Amino acid sequence: MTNELKGKVNYSINGNIAILEVDNPPVNPLSSGVRAGLSESIAKANADESIEGIILTGAGRSFIAGADISEFGKSYDGPDLHAALREIEFSNKPVLAAINGAALGGGLETALVCNYRMGTNQAIVGLPEVNLGLLPGAGGTQRLPRLIGPSQALKMMLAGTPLTAKKALEQGIIDAISENSLIEDAIAFLQEKIGLSEHPKVRDKNEKVLEARGAENVLAEAKALAAKTRRGQFAPGQIIACVEAAINEDDFDVGMKKESDYFLECLMNPQREAMIHIFFGERAASKIADIPKETPLMPIKKAGIIGSGTMGGGIAMNLANAGIPVLILDQDEKNLEKGMSVIEKNYQMMVDRGRMSQEQKEMVMGLITPTLSYDDLSDVDIAVEAVYENLDLKQEIFKTLDEVTKGDAILASNTSGLDIDAIASVTNRPGKVVGTHFFSPANVMRLLEVVRGKDSSDETMATVMSLGKKMKKAAVVSLNAPGFIGNRMLAGYTHQANMLLLEGALPNQVDSALESFGMSMGPFRMLDLVGLDLGWRARKLADIETPLANKISDELCERDRFGQKNSKGFYNYSEGSRAPNPAPENEEIYKEISNKNNIERREISDQEIIDRCILALVNEGARILEEGVAQRSGDMDIVYINGYGFPIWRGGPMFYANQLGLEEVINKMSAFSELDEEFWKPAPLLKKLSEISGTFGEAPGLDERAELLSFKNANMGGV
Ligand code: 3H9
């Protein structure tokens, strides 16, 4: 093997068994050296007369995490995966996959060419390629339907979520679970099979695919599922087409050829690049550039939540789901009871939908303890305050937390916009104070903005980021600046949506245009959901004149139209329904306000709607980046996809801008500047990058960014 190859396969012998161990830390993807190693080791075992069986396993915590994702989109000359898998499948000696951890994507596909599969209790198996804009391209679409039936296989491939070993055994993906030493159990299993004249090959199991032949509902159900859960995505249709081939083609290899062709189409599709950008982007976001990897983490063995409302309850569920005991505190007994019953109902819903077993529900409920007393928080390692947005109240709570919790406990505030430093200032431990901005509903939404105060210590930041990962959140660091990352970008987006309404578009047109772009919900549906009265009331209270962009929504509030909460806002809602119906009675209001403000209403194209709303995100994103509020452009993509319904297959707003070309972005913006010169002034970083044909992807580090813009010393600290 040459040096350029990445990863290897260790070869050892135990009696008459060869043990092949994939070794490519940390998760054993099928990089070039692994592919070469597999071919070589199988050949070696087959050539050795003393060997009668082969075990394939993984070093460390993973079996094989799939193809090496970093190779996609690049040209590589390494050995071919299909060839290696063919050698395993047609080995003269039986091969058993001893699955010691994650067998995902190409990892499960490797296990599927083995004759037998055994897993530990920690093993997980899945085909998550769809999350990368791909399909299982190493035989998964042909073999899995043969093993578990096309219907189940389609569900698994379209969801992309892995199964536990127990589920995999129930479904017949693995043959056994090892309760003790995996390799010892695998050897014992294989010894029993060695004498058999034939060993099963998944490719030969045709019964289940033949059963589905002619049963149109299998593919129709899959198409309906994909339309519902993966709107706008290219790969799901390709996966379904592959399974159609598995069902209808008599020759297994014809199905394989189709799979290869459809895989290639996915590989060439821009969605694949966008989704892989998000895969690596999420992992990059979890790292903080100036905090060393070795920074010690504080163990989080117990947590406290202050506030048992929707947010507090959702955060408590996240912690319990991560196995962390949590106390939930409210000073009002009724609120506390209500909060606990909402948590219980949410879990019950998961049980009813088959997402959790009754046993699991009891376990997580057992980890959540209600309390009325701050004294009970004395031994928590982290306390997360989740009360409504009021600085005085939050400061009061932090003073109390500072007194009652142990000295090294982390104190976190779930604020969506208040100044973390002002909150930290009332404590004697500003280094332990951090913002944790969860998104509602916190038990569902993956985004977590971790807000770094000017004094937040490295240990605090690293610990909270790691806790975010344990809670399966997409955690992104923001400096303590107004609006943090997400809401600051959102302001420009909703501003443009509101201006479009004044200029002649209707809510339904704006929403449809952005939903067809891929946003999960248009801005006016979103505003109706949040409630139009929040801003209106705040402006009244502060005695602030209504800005032009908010004139329509404030007028709707004057007419008692608050949004979904009272069944009328930009749309009308039928009793108990969230489905928006057009509200023609509002059109006069729109016209009247446009007239009053001397705005001539005109026909607006869908493209203009998309450009103005999305480029508003991009321009503000560029400012956030140049100010150092976000560490890298990919972080903003992660924020928008996980918190604001931006389509993952477009890779987030900053990636989308790169795809469009930053020069084109600037051109479009300068055309809009006739409408509002101030708003469309390009961020200096965006302008500079467009002039040098750069992209946000090549995001320079903070220092270089400052250099590029001669921004040294400006806004790089706690803005
Ligand atoms: C495929 O298989 C296509 C085939 O069907 C067809 C081929 C023809 N490659 O997530 P972590 C890196 S497509 C390269 O933090 P965890 C990751 O970037 C593949 N690198 O660990 C990170 O790097 P860094 C289908 C990979 O313990 C480090 O490993 N497979 C790969 O939280 C640790 O990762 C998948 O989609 C990879 N395949 O979770 C599975 N996987 O330290 C993708 C990870 O520099 N992987 N890395 O930031 C996962 O889901 C998780 O990594 C796993 C471990 C559950 C395995």
Side-chain angles (χ1 to χ4, degrees), residues 63-320:
F63 173 67
I64 298 172
D68 185 336
I69 300 170
S70 64
E71 285 181 353
F72 293 126
K74 293 183 193 149
S75 62
Y76 60 90
D77 308 319
D80 178 44
L81 177 62
H82 286 91
L85 296 193
R86 235 181 342 264
E87 279 156 50
I88 299 175
E89 191 166 41
F90 292 101
S91 157
N92 297 330
K93 313 195 172 158
V95 186
L96 178 145
I99 305 175
N100 54 306
L104 299 177
L108 176 57
E109 291 172 301
T110 305
L112 291 179
V113 294
C114 298
N115 304 102
Y116 307 102
R117 285 160 293 282
M118 173 183 276
T120 61
N121 277 310
Q122 285 71 47
I124 53 167
V125 303
L127 294 175
E129 286 87 342
V130 70
N131 296 325
L132 304 171
L134 288 170
L135 57 84
T141 67
Q142 305 304 300
R143 291 192 182 88
L144 195 63
R146 284 178 160 75
L147 200 56
I148 65 173
S151 176
Q152 285 301 331
L154 277 163
K155 276 188 198 140
M156 213 170 134
M157 288 188 277
L158 292 174
T161 28
L163 302 182
T164 58
K166 199 170 150 224
K167 280 251 163 71
L169 181 67
E170 277 166 22
Q171 295 226 357
I173 298 176
I174 59 175
D175 305 299
I177 292 185
S178 158
E179 300 289 346
N180 305 303
S181 153
L182 176 62
I183 296 301
E184 276 175 30
D185 288 348
I187 292 174
F189 185 99
L190 203 50
Q191 295 294 9
E192 286 194 10
K193 306 289 177 191
I194 278 171
L196 300 179
S197 58
E198 253 192 279
H199 300 283
K201 282 191 179 47
V202 178
R203 59 152 54 217
D204 298 332
K205 294 181 191 276
N206 289 323
E207 207 176 299
K208 291 194 167 127
V209 285
L210 288 176
E211 262 169 35
R213 202 174 273 186
E216 279 166 20
N217 63 324
V218 173
L219 298 174
E221 277 166 20
K223 282 177 192 159
L225 180 68
K228 189 168 157 219
T229 58
R230 298 210 169 255
R231 186 164 61 90
Q233 296 186 21
F234 179 69
Q238 303 285 98
I239 290 174
I240 297 168
C242 288
V243 175
E244 191 172 359
I247 294 173
N248 292 328
E249 296 294 345
D250 287 324
D251 183 344
F252 178 84
D253 290 315
V254 172
M256 287 294 283
K257 170 76 178 68
K258 288 203 169 165
E259 181 192 85
S260 282
D261 292 346
Y262 296 148
F263 180 81
L264 206 62
E265 286 174 16
C266 288
L267 199 63
M268 307 304 281
N269 191 289
Q271 294 193 4
R272 186 270 309 157
E273 194 184 347
M275 291 168 88
I276 287 185
H277 159 70
I278 292 305
F279 176 85
F280 286 118
E282 208 172 283
R283 281 149 183 88
S286 67
K287 298 173 181 114
I288 308 174
D290 60 337
I291 296 186
K293 243 189 10 226
E294 310 70 43
T295 303
L297 302 179
M298 277 183 56
I300 303 289
K301 296 199 186 114
K302 192 170 177 186
I305 306 285
I306 295 81
S308 64
T310 319
M311 261 299 169
I315 300 170
M317 289 174 75
N318 288 324
L319 287 156

Side-chain angles (χ1 to χ4, degrees), residues 307-432:
S308 64
T310 319
M311 261 299 169
I315 300 170
M317 289 174 75
N318 288 324
L319 287 156
N321 295 346
I324 299 170
V326 49
L327 284 155
I328 181 160
L329 180 145
D330 205 302
Q331 290 190 309
D332 181 304
E333 197 167 354
K334 282 228 164 72
N335 279 350
L336 191 58
E337 269 172 29
K338 190 170 158 222
M340 286 301 289
S341 87
V342 171
I343 294 175
E344 203 271 334
K345 272 194 203 123
N346 284 340
Y347 277 132
Q348 189 53 46
M349 208 142 68
M350 290 171 74
V351 174
D352 296 343
R353 292 181 182 169
R355 298 210 190 121
M356 164 178 266
S357 66
Q358 185 64 30
E359 212 181 355
Q360 283 167 322
K361 177 194 156 190
E362 274 154 31
M363 200 187 77
V364 282
M365 278 305 291
L367 289 173
I368 305 177
T369 312
T371 177
L372 291 164
S373 163
Y374 271 98
D375 292 340
D376 289 344
L377 301 187
S378 62
D379 62 345
V380 299
D381 301 300
I382 185 169
V384 185
E385 160 277 308
V387 302
Y388 64 89
E389 293 287 55
N390 177 306
L391 185 61
D392 293 340
L393 175 65
K394 291 197 188 238
Q395 284 180 324
E396 212 42 57
I397 291 172
F398 269 69
K399 268 189 217 156
T400 311
L401 288 174
D402 198 28
E403 279 161 25
V404 300
T405 59
K406 59 185 184 184
D408 61 351
I410 293 176
L411 307 182
S413 173
N414 176 56
T415 175
S416 60
L418 295 176
D419 179 355
I420 287 297
D421 295 334
I423 296 174
S425 70
V426 301
T427 71
N428 292 311
R429 58 177 104 179
K432 292 280 173 191

Side-chain angles (χ1 to χ4, degrees), residues 452-481:
R452 186 178 191 176
K454 71 177 167 44
D455 295 315
S456 307
S457 72
D458 287 3
E459 190 192 52
T460 302
M461 289 304 295
T463 303
V464 173
M465 291 304 282
S466 143
L467 181 62
K469 184 167 184 183
K470 272 198 198 119
M471 294 189 291
K472 300 204 164 74
K473 295 287 168 195
V476 173
V477 179
S478 167
L479 281 193
N480 179 32

Side-chain angles (χ1 to χ4, degrees), residues 416-612:
S416 60
L418 295 176
D419 179 355
I420 287 297
D421 295 334
I423 296 174
S425 70
V426 301
T427 71
N428 292 311
R429 58 177 104 179
K432 292 280 173 191
V433 176
V434 67
T436 45
H437 180 203
F438 287 85
F439 286 68
S440 188
N443 49 314
V444 176
M445 299 290 283
R446 284 194 70 228
L447 180 61
L448 171 63
E449 279 183 326
V450 177
V451 185
R452 186 178 191 176
K454 71 177 167 44
D455 295 315
S456 307
S457 72
D458 287 3
E459 190 192 52
T460 302
M461 289 304 295
T463 303
V464 173
M465 291 304 282
S466 143
L467 181 62
K469 184 167 184 183
K470 272 198 198 119
M471 294 189 291
K472 300 204 164 74
K473 295 287 168 195
V476 173
V477 179
S478 167
L479 281 193
N480 179 32
F484 309 139
I485 298 173
N487 284 342
R488 176 167 161 190
M489 285 165 78
L490 183 69
Y493 172 88
T494 48
H495 175 87
Q496 283 305 315
N498 281 317
M499 290 308 296
L500 286 158
L501 208 57
L502 278 166
E503 290 168 33
L506 292 176
N508 193 34
Q509 189 200 354
V510 176
D511 286 350
S512 306
L514 287 159
E515 284 165 17
S516 67
F517 172 81
M519 298 299 291
S520 60
M521 189 185 276
F524 293 108
R525 282 179 62 201
M526 183 191 73
L527 289 168
D528 266 0
L529 178 70
V530 173
L532 308 185
D533 55 326
L534 299 183
W536 173 66
R537 281 185 217 286
R539 280 186 281 277
K540 282 205 151 185
L541 208 65
D543 203 14
I544 295 172
E545 199 192 323
T546 304
L548 180 60
N550 298 100
K551 284 201 189 289
I552 289 181
S553 61
D554 277 12
E555 183 57 31
L556 293 179
C557 291
E558 294 292 346
R559 297 179 191 216
D560 246 10
R561 301 186 70 100
F562 298 151
Q564 269 192 30
K565 62 176 75 166
N566 69 345
S567 301
K568 48 189 198 243
F570 285 107
Y571 295 97
N572 292 328
Y573 301 85
S574 329
E575 187 73 24
S577 161
R578 283 166 178 257
N581 301 307
E585 64 269 42
N586 284 350
E587 288 177 26
E588 274 314 306
I589 305 176
Y590 307 154
K591 282 184 195 153
E592 208 176 288
I593 297 179
S594 302
N595 276 342
K596 257 195 206 152
N597 292 284
N598 297 323
I599 300 174
E600 202 177 318
R601 294 180 71 79
R602 63 184 166 94
E603 281 276 318
I604 296 179
S605 71
D606 287 359
Q607 191 59 49
E608 181 177 341
I609 293 171
I610 294 168
D611 286 342
R612 282 174 58 182

